[in-house]
């Protein structure tokens, strides 16, 4: 069975890399100064961001498509597993930079209240952020400002300044991800075509009666994407959430079915995957402005 080590503190994270801990809850490491580490898998209790400045294919938090060939940002949240797909007892030399902080550091702060809004912490391995040289310099500037605050010692201003720079860095990452969605336009459009076909195939099968309505998580899994990344991609490309997109498809298919005079509204609702027809009726009226029966009679 694969061994997974729990990574529960910043001190543990630093000591594994042979580096000193200057603050118990937050750390920025220049990994060129780190010692070799075992190629283990880790269950993180920390927020960790790696800036990889070389291709590091052995890291299991890898990716498929490259926007830029070298620099990659990888985001890890508490309760996520990361590590290396290498045999036991292999040692690797870390590279690039690493930023790690414990959830306790941001608890009760503005960042603590908004951290879950940075959805890229839940993106899958092939959805990492590939940065340009200019973007990399911005990232390093944020990292180094945090590092300077940690190295100067803890005072009453330290936490405020570190968190301000953390928020600045994460907000830049939101911008960089928006850029990446644009630069991957052709790839994203291909995913949307596949999404549309997935929904068509789903509703043409007997899956709605067996499984129920298709969920965002189900569609994302079929697309080999995380639910968060998939949802963000659909939103960027269509202006609709993934759930709204699915609901629009439900309405379109239902409208076609209304022209069958032998089917009642309830039968159509059951065919679409609804356990309770009134839930379908409510959605239809919200989206179309009239009830299914009214729409059917008008047409």
């Amino acid at each position: 069975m694969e061994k997974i080590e729990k990574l529960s503190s910043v001190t543990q994270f630093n000591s594994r890399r042979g580096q000193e801990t200057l603050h118990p809850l937050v750390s920025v490491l220049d990994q060129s100064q780190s010692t070799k580490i075992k190629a283990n898998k880790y269950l993180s209790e920390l927020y960790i961001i790696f800036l990889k400045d070389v291709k590091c294919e052995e890291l299991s938090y890898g990716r498929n498509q490259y926007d830029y060939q070298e620099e990659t940002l990888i985001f890890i949240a508490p309760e996520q597993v990361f590590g290396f797909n290498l045999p036991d007892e292999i040692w690797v030399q870390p590279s690039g930079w690493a930023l790690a902080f414990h959830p306790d550091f941001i608890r009760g702060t503005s960042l603590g209240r908004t951290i879950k809004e940075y959805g890229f912490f839940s993106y899958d391995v092939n959805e990492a952020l590939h940065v340009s040289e200019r973007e990399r310099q911005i990232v390093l500037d944020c990292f180094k400002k945090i590092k300077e605050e940690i190295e100067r010692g803890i005072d009453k201003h330290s936490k405020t300044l570190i968190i301000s720079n953390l928020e600045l860095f994460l907000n830049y990452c939101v911008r960089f991800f928006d850029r990446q969605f644009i630069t991957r336009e052709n790839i994203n459009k291909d995913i949307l075509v596949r999404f549309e076909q997935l929904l068509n195939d789903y509703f043409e099968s007997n899956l709605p009666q067996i499984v129920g309505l298709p969920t965002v998580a189900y569609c994302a899994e079929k697309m080999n994407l995380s639910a968060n990344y998939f949802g963000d991609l659909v939103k960027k490309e269509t202006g609709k959430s993934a759930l709204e997109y699915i609901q629009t498809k439900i309405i379109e298919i239902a409208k076609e079915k209304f022209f069958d005079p032998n089917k009642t509204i309830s039968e159509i609702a059951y065919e679409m995957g609804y356990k309770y027809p009134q839930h379908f009726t409510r959605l239809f009226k919200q989206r179309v402005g009239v009830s299914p029966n009214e729409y059917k009679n008008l047409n």
Side-chain angles (χ1 to χ4, degrees):
M1 185 177 176
E2 187 177 42
K3 183 181 178 182
I4 298 178
E5 181 181 352
K6 183 176 283 190
L7 185 60
S8 56
S9 71
V10 168
T11 300
Q12 181 187 358
F13 180 79
N14 292 345
S15 63
R16 288 288 183 276
R17 289 158 173 75
Q19 297 219 41
E20 184 182 5
T21 298
L22 301 177
H23 192 297
L25 296 177
V26 61
S27 179
V28 175
L29 301 182
D30 175 355
Q31 298 230 80
S32 67
Q33 306 299 314
S34 293
T35 57
K36 288 187 175 182
I37 59 174
K38 273 191 177 182
N40 292 346
K41 287 286 185 70
Y42 299 91
L43 173 62
S44 180
E45 292 186 359
L46 310 173
Y47 288 97
I48 307 172
I49 299 99
F50 290 110
L51 174 62
K52 308 298 296 182
D53 60 1
V54 294
K55 295 182 194 175
C56 196
E57 283 86 1
E58 73 273 11
L59 189 67
S60 67
Y61 210 91
R63 56 277 186 202
N64 292 333
Q65 298 284 340
Y66 291 88
D67 292 324
Y68 300 97
Q69 286 297 311
E70 301 294 335
E71 293 82 13
T72 304
L73 275 168
I74 297 166
F75 300 84
I76 296 161
E79 305 306 317
Q80 290 183 353
V81 174
F82 73 99
F84 299 86
N85 289 323
L86 291 174
D88 293 340
E89 305 308 318
I90 297 292
W91 293 75
V92 295
Q93 176 60 52
S95 62
W97 289 74
L99 164 63
F101 58 95
H102 196 280
D104 286 350
F105 183 67
I106 62 172
R107 208 177 303 280
T109 68
S110 59
L111 181 56
R113 290 187 291 273
T114 60
I115 189 73
K116 293 188 183 302
E117 296 176 13
Y118 298 100
F120 42 76
F121 276 107
S122 298
Y123 287 0
D124 275 350
V125 296
N126 59 321
E127 302 151 359
L129 175 61
H130 309 297
V131 294
S132 67
E133 179 57 32
R134 184 176 181 180
E135 291 168 345
R136 179 177 180 271
Q137 290 304 317
I138 293 172
V139 170
L140 286 177
D141 185 51
C142 292
F143 278 19
K144 288 174 180 177
K145 284 179 180 176
I146 295 170
K147 194 172 190 294
E148 287 170 6
E149 279 302 318
I150 295 170
E151 289 175 344
R152 70 180 291 136
I154 302 172
D155 61 27
K156 66 180 182 179
H157 304 289
S158 301
K159 186 171 182 176
T160 299
L161 291 169
I162 291 171
I163 286 177
S164 294
N165 280 288
L166 275 173
E167 287 181 307
L168 178 64
F169 161 67
L170 293 174
N171 287 331
Y172 268 119
C173 290
V174 172
R175 168 184 278 179
F176 299 158
F177 265 113
D178 280 351
R179 185 268 311 152
Q180 181 162 287
F181 278 115
I182 294 169
T183 57
R184 293 185 174 191
E185 184 177 6
N186 290 335
I187 298 168
N188 295 343
K189 288 189 184 304
D190 178 62
I191 290 171
L192 286 178
V193 170
R194 289 165 50 211
F195 180 30
E196 181 75 14
Q197 188 60 52
L198 172 68
L199 292 177
N200 287 335
D201 293 344
Y202 190 92
F203 286 111
E204 287 172 7
S205 72
N206 60 354
L207 285 172
Q209 294 84 45
I210 298 171
V211 180
L213 294 168
T215 64
V216 173
Y218 170 87
C219 295
E221 183 180 359
K222 292 298 181 182
M223 298 287 103
N224 295 316
L225 299 169
S226 69
N228 272 23
Y229 187 88
F230 177 65
D232 287 348
L233 184 154
V234 174
K235 184 72 172 179
K236 301 287 185 194
E237 290 294 323
T238 69
K240 300 177 184 176
S241 70
L243 178 59
E244 288 172 333
Y245 195 98
I246 292 170
Q247 290 174 341
T248 298
K249 174 59 68 173
I250 289 169
I251 298 299
E252 288 176 3
I253 294 173
K255 285 178 177 179
E256 290 295 323
K257 289 179 178 288
F258 289 166
F259 287 97
D260 185 343
N262 297 317
K263 289 181 179 178
T264 66
I265 299 300
S266 291
E267 287 172 335
I268 292 171
Y270 288 129
E271 281 184 13
M272 301 296 295
Y274 282 89
K275 289 184 178 180
Y276 306 104
Q278 59 267 35
H279 292 172
F280 167 70
T281 298
R282 186 182 305 124
L283 171 69
F284 192 93
K285 190 165 186 178
Q286 286 174 347
R287 300 296 295 273
V288 181
V290 295
S291 71
N293 273 318
E294 289 171 323
Y295 181 88
K296 191 173 182 181
N297 291 332
L298 285 170
N299 290 273

